[in-house]
Amino acid sequence: GKQTDPFFFKFGNLDNVIIGNGILVSGYSNSLEYPSNRKLGFNIGADFGTLGIEFIVSDFKYEPGLVGGRLNYKILPGLDLGLSFATDVNQYAGLSNKDNDDYPDVYDHYQDDPEKFSESLESYKENSEFWNTIYIELGQPGGPDGFFNWYDSIPGLNHNYYEPQSSPTNDIIGFSLDLNYNFNKKLNLYSQFGTLLANKDDLFLTSDSVFSAGWGLVPLGLSYNLGPIRFSTEYRMNSRYFLFNYWDRAYELNRAIVSFSENGDEIITKEHSLKNYGKMNGIYSELTGNIANLIYLKTSYTYMNGEILTDENEFITQKNNSFTSIISLNKKIIPRLKKAEAFYQQNNVPNPFAFEFTESSIYGYTIGFQLSSDMILQYKSTTSFVMSPSGIYEPISTILVETQFTF
């Protein structure tokens, strides 16, 4: 089903998820890393007349990047009040883990083998008699039960000191409140407020920084249906340490990344990036619709102006703009075409059309053809960007060719 249906549910891949009017969650997808990372998400919602509910979990297999929900109450005919929440219970769980063991790739010496994680431990297994003999000849310096404490202190063996049981967790949660008034079947007016409860320590702020939970406000927004075209626009303002649409399409890719430096590797979460954004205001606009019954288009542009943190740890006034677009072809115009879609996202940059890519940049396409009544051949390409040890954003491309069976 669709989110606009009286009852709907989805299981597996979740795409273009929006909670409420999107101040916290807009365009979220759990399937960008498929098939290397297959997530089993669940999204359910129901409208009981006066009360509406929705709940989403982005992944049941591992720690989900998004758990969210919404309650919608009809105060008067045409007037609705909505309360939503969204959380990432452990941002560190977003680190790449190819073999799905307890060791993220950055801490795994065998990234494609779930049974191995430490080169020094494998070296001991292959030569255990040799090492046990040396330990005994040295008089058991760590005591009868202290072999591995001694062994782990030997230099040059490439030990793995990461301990999954004691590894830290790092969550973030947001809440939002919105008011919607359906003036008529074409015009809808709304207002929304959201807050992100970040942790000061997670932002790596200086000791003299003044910190409070970030908030965003849309005092007035409107959407208008022009036949097959829907246009919406809203005025936005926010405090420091807040990003509109925090859970966006690329969230699972930049939920947590590893920063390489001379001082050692460091895990950087998206929450950490909140410190770079100060007080801002601006306009968001979106156009959605069916054009000439040939293509479906959903495109949005955000123009914001305000404080941006520099490398010198000082705020300057600068533009912070975003552009997102999804375009798909009507599958009925080409025989056997099942899906033809392309997408592009470039968020929180001075000029999204300069194509200077960052961790929030992502683009790709999907093409699918019906081979038979119950078989679909699908080709999917996705490109995202990660920062290399040299400080340059490098593209990471994923190509998937798969056969789907329908029943």
Side-chain angles (χ1 to χ4, degrees):
K2 301 178 181 179
Q3 283 185 301
T4 54
D5 293 340
F7 175 78
F8 75 91
F9 74 91
K10 300 178 182 179
F11 184 76
N13 290 345
L14 304 177
D15 289 303
N16 197 31
V17 174
I18 301 173
I19 296 182
N21 289 317
I23 192 169
L24 296 177
V25 182
S26 181
Y28 171 84
S29 173
N30 74 343
S31 62
L32 292 180
E33 298 173 287
Y34 180 91
S36 61
N37 190 349
R38 300 171 184 262
K39 293 182 169 63
L40 294 178
F42 182 67
N43 189 194
I44 188 171
D47 186 350
F48 300 104
T50 303
L51 184 68
I53 59 173
E54 182 179 0
F55 182 71
I56 178 173
V57 179
S58 64
D59 192 14
F60 278 106
K61 294 172 61 178
Y62 308 105
E63 292 178 281
L66 171 62
V67 176
R70 173 177 169 81
L71 288 175
N72 186 72
Y73 179 73
K74 291 180 172 57
I75 303 174
L76 296 170
L79 183 63
D80 299 351
L81 178 68
L83 176 64
S84 307
F85 82 95
T87 183
D88 184 341
V89 296
N90 182 16
Q91 297 170 93
Y92 291 153
L95 292 173
S96 175
N97 191 349
K98 296 177 183 177
D99 54 12
N100 295 320
D101 59 4
D102 294 329
Y103 292 79
D105 291 345
V106 67
Y107 300 117
D108 196 342
H109 297 167
Y110 301 88
Q111 298 178 2
D112 298 313
D113 189 340
E115 303 299 325
K116 300 178 181 180
F117 58 88
S118 170
E119 288 187 0
S120 67
L121 182 58
E122 295 306 313
S123 177
Y124 167 75
K125 291 179 180 179
E126 294 173 0
N127 304 279
S128 57
E129 185 176 347
F130 169 77
W131 288 110
N132 290 334
T133 300
I134 291 181
Y135 186 66
I136 293 174
E137 290 178 350
L138 292 175
Q140 296 182 328
D145 300 322
F147 172 82
F148 281 104
N149 288 332
W150 167 78
Y151 182 75
D152 288 344
S153 67
I154 299 175
L157 294 181
N158 197 14
H159 301 287
N160 190 339
Y161 296 112
Y162 180 77
E163 297 181 0
Q165 296 82 2
S166 60
S167 61
T169 60
N170 188 323
D171 64 351
I172 185 170
I173 188 169
F175 296 95
S176 69
L177 183 70
D178 58 80
L179 189 66
N180 303 272
Y181 179 63
N182 294 315
F183 190 79
N184 52 42
K185 291 183 178 180
K186 292 186 176 182
L187 178 63
N188 178 56
L189 303 178
Y190 61 89
S191 178
Q192 55 182 334
F193 172 84
T195 183
L196 287 171
L197 306 182
N199 188 306
K200 180 178 179 179
D201 294 336
D202 297 335
L203 302 184
F204 302 161
L205 299 177
T206 57
S207 58
D208 59 346
S209 297
V210 178
F211 174 76
S212 61
W215 57 263
L217 173 66
V218 176
L220 179 63
L222 66 88
S223 63
Y224 191 80
N225 292 324
L226 299 168
I229 303 297
R230 179 177 177 270
F231 173 76
S232 61
T233 187
E234 58 188 46
Y235 177 73
R236 293 178 167 183
M237 62 177 67
N238 63 267
S239 72
R240 291 180 177 178
Y241 318 125
F242 185 85
L243 276 177
F244 284 88
N245 320 128
Y246 184 83
W247 282 268
D248 59 10
R249 189 181 189 99
Y251 181 76
E252 290 291 344
L253 300 179
N254 50 49
R255 178 183 175 192
I257 59 177
V258 178
S259 175
F260 302 95
S261 67
E262 296 179 354
N263 299 324
D265 302 340
E266 184 176 46
I267 300 176
I268 303 295
T269 64
K270 184 171 182 177
E271 178 188 18
H272 172 258
S273 70
L274 292 176
K275 74 171 187 177
N276 299 323
Y277 305 102
K279 299 176 182 178
M280 297 185 189
N281 59 78
I283 299 293
Y284 168 86
S285 297
E286 178 181 292
L287 183 68
T288 305
N290 187 328
I291 301 176
N293 204 31
L294 294 176
I295 62 173
Y296 173 81
L297 176 68
K298 181 178 181 180
T299 186
S300 65
Y301 186 80
T302 306
Y303 173 87
M304 301 289 284
N305 193 57
E307 297 177 329
I308 296 292
L309 191 68
T310 66
D311 293 337
E312 289 74 32
N313 207 40
E314 296 179 350
F315 280 107
I316 62 171
T317 300
Q318 183 175 297
K319 295 178 182 178
N320 184 43
N321 301 332
S322 302
F323 175 75
T324 301
S325 186
I326 302 174
I327 184 170
S328 58
L329 191 64
N330 185 349
K331 61 184 180 182
K332 295 181 179 180
I333 65 176
I334 298 178
R336 295 189 174 276
L337 180 67
K338 192 64 177 178
K339 186 175 185 179
E341 179 181 278
F343 61 89
Y344 175 81
Q345 173 184 295
Q346 175 81 313
N347 286 350
N348 304 311
V349 294
N351 181 7
F353 302 110
F355 302 107
E356 296 177 354
F357 298 116
T358 68
E359 69 276 359
S360 71
S361 308
I362 183 172
Y363 63 84
Y365 60 89
T366 302
I367 300 176
F369 283 95
Q370 191 92 38
L371 298 183
S372 65
S373 60
D374 58 357
M375 184 183 298
I376 300 171
L377 178 65
Q378 184 164 277
Y379 181 94
K380 181 178 181 180
S381 174
T382 302
T383 300
S384 58
F385 295 82
V386 297
M387 182 173 287
S388 67
S390 61
I392 300 175
Y393 284 102
E394 296 181 345
I396 302 294
S397 296
T398 301
I399 296 176
L400 166 68
V401 179
E402 66 172 353
T403 303
Q404 300 179 346
F405 292 92
T406 58
F407 300 94

